[in-house]
Amino acid sequence: MFLTFRIIWLRNSKNWVNKAVAWRIAHIPEKNFIYLLSLVVGLLSGLAALILKNLVHFVEVKITQWVSVDSISYWYLIYPMIGIFLTVLFVKFIIKDNIGHGVAKILFAISKKNSKLKPHNSYSSMIASSLTIGLGGSVGAEAPIVLTGASIGSNLARIFKLNYKYVTLMVGCGAAGAIAGIFNAPIAGIVFTLEVLMIDLTMAYLVPLLIAAVSATALTSFFLGTGVLIQFTNVAPFQIQINWLCVLLGIFNRLMEFSFTRFARSLESKFAAITLCVVRLLLG
């Protein structure tokens, strides 16, 4: 009964999106629509990863093409500061919102805001990070592209009037697709989503994540080929006897990650106490 009234209300709406939602509810089973939407989110997340990669390389090429790599250039010391400055201007005067840390912002949205991410998160992090990374800033593409993909999933799910459970699932699909697309690693995208975003490990959730991750990887591989960020050569087969070394490596990396996170948060709190933008820029 509730579903019938909802379809009638949406059909009578003058908004064409509501009419499309009403047609979807009436003609496409919810399960099939979730699979279809996960494919769309995966492709859009892969496209976002593709755009971010190309933006970073575009900025890098444009600023270094007139500098000789065979000689010392002090411009390489100035470029990162220019990148930070342009990013601050973009966030402060164009976005006019705190875009924050990618993963932390997603977790906050899932737990406190019904998985709602603002529409500008679908592009603002890409532009800001391309300026910072392309100009030599010491940051990575993981957090910006994860926030971008998650925002794409969140906003598409809300457009189609999905409930909190499915909006959260689309956030996960966007994150999985973003990681898969930027690093050409679909399994890593799925594991990241299940572990970090704590999406339920059930078949109803796993299949859409697989669809999103694989579609994003296929899209970026089609345009960029098989190249990955880190090239390596396997010089010896894996042996079960070295498992204990892998365990030690994992423990060491976790301790290093914990120390880095604590230090970064401490430093960030000190930076937040500085009110003068010029001083913060120079220190950065």
Side-chain angles (χ1 to χ4, degrees):
M1 183 66 70
F2 171 75
L3 184 60
T4 303
F5 281 120
R6 188 183 183 196
I7 293 175
I8 294 173
W9 179 80
L10 290 170
R11 282 177 176 172
N12 293 332
S13 173
K14 295 182 180 180
N15 190 330
W16 66 270
V17 175
N18 289 338
K19 293 181 181 294
V21 172
W23 183 90
R24 190 275 299 176
I25 294 174
H27 295 87
I28 304 178
E30 191 171 66
K31 182 178 179 181
N32 294 347
F33 180 72
I34 292 301
Y35 291 158
L36 178 62
L37 189 60
S38 65
L39 174 64
V40 174
V41 170
L43 291 174
L44 290 177
S45 299
L47 180 63
L50 189 67
I51 293 173
L52 177 58
K53 277 188 175 182
N54 282 280
L55 278 176
V56 170
H57 288 297
F58 175 79
V59 173
E60 176 194 0
V61 169
K62 287 300 180 182
I63 66 169
T64 59
Q65 62 184 358
W66 59 280
V67 179
S68 175
V69 296
D70 299 324
S71 60
I72 296 175
S73 176
Y74 292 102
W75 276 104
Y76 288 112
L77 298 177
I78 300 174
Y79 282 148
M81 188 167 72
I82 296 175
I84 295 173
F85 179 67
L86 292 176
T87 302
V88 169
L89 291 180
F90 172 73
V91 173
K92 192 175 181 65
F93 296 105
I94 297 179
I95 300 300
K96 298 179 181 178
D97 186 24
N98 179 21
I99 59 177
H101 300 294
V103 178
K105 201 171 187 68
I106 297 170
L107 292 173
F108 181 78
I110 291 174
S111 61
K112 300 293 185 181
K113 301 177 68 177
N114 294 325
S115 296
K116 294 180 180 179
L117 289 163
K118 294 183 179 180
H120 73 73
N121 290 129
S122 300
Y123 62 87
S124 57
S125 292
M126 281 199 304
I127 298 174
S129 61
S130 65
L131 293 172
T132 308
I133 300 171
L135 286 159
S138 181
V139 292
E142 178 186 354
I145 197 60
V146 168
L147 178 58
T148 300
S151 177
I152 290 172
S154 173
N155 285 282
L156 274 179
R158 286 158 53 204
I159 286 174
F160 287 101
K161 314 297 183 185
L162 298 182
N163 58 31
Y164 168 74
K165 180 178 70 173
Y166 288 128
V167 173
T168 304
L169 175 58
M170 288 303 116
V171 168
C173 288
I179 291 288
I182 200 73
F183 295 120
N184 195 23
I187 302 300
I190 296 171
V191 172
F192 171 87
T193 302
L194 294 174
E195 181 182 6
V196 178
L197 302 186
M198 296 173 289
I199 299 295
D200 292 338
L201 183 57
T202 59
M203 191 56 65
Y205 279 76
L206 190 57
V207 172
L209 291 176
L210 283 167
I211 294 173
V214 172
S215 60
T217 305
L219 180 70
T220 53
S221 297
F222 178 79
F223 287 101
L224 298 177
T226 57
V228 294
L229 293 181
I230 302 176
Q231 298 284 353
F232 67 93
T233 302
N234 188 14
V235 296
F238 178 78
Q239 296 178 355
I240 195 69
Q241 292 86 350
I242 66 171
N243 268 350
W244 66 274
L245 289 174
C246 297
V247 173
L248 290 178
L249 179 62
I251 294 173
F252 172 76
N253 284 339
R254 187 63 188 94
L255 291 173
M256 184 173 64
E257 177 192 348
F258 177 76
S259 301
F260 173 78
T261 303
R262 290 290 297 271
F263 176 74
R265 287 178 178 174
S266 174
L267 197 62
E268 185 177 13
S269 63
K270 291 184 172 75
F271 263 70
I274 302 174
T275 56
L276 292 176
C277 292
V278 176
V279 176
R280 296 177 66 175
L281 175 64
L282 293 174
L283 286 175

